[in-house]
Amino acid sequence: MGIYPKFPDEHLRDNAKTWNIGMLDIERSRRYTDRAKVLKLWEDIDNYISTNKPHLIF
């Protein structure tokens, strides 16, 4: 699982467009949304681990 953090107004690098990764848009002017984005990130990580790496769950 890969995460690519970026600001919404930034363009992706050409090689990053070919990667199988999730985008994490970080708002410059709406920093109060950071907590919700981090919670969603950890939820995605937990789902990935439970689906693809169940031996890592304790």
Side-chain angles (χ1 to χ4, degrees):
M1 177 177 180
I3 303 294
Y4 188 88
K6 68 177 196 65
F7 293 114
D9 58 344
E10 291 180 338
H11 297 289
L12 287 177
R13 296 181 190 164
D14 289 336
N15 59 350
K17 292 177 184 177
T18 61
W19 300 342
N20 184 17
I21 56 175
M23 299 297 150
L24 179 64
D25 286 333
I26 302 168
E27 302 285 339
R28 290 182 197 262
S29 61
R30 297 181 358 176
R31 297 309 305 252
Y32 57 87
T33 63
D34 287 355
R35 185 176 192 280
K37 294 193 183 232
V38 168
L39 290 174
K40 175 71 169 108
L41 170 66
W42 281 110
E43 182 181 323
D44 291 345
I45 290 171
D46 286 341
N47 289 336
Y48 176 82
I49 289 174
S50 65
T51 303
N52 299 305
K53 310 273 185 187
H55 61 280
L56 296 177
I57 299 173
F58 54 92

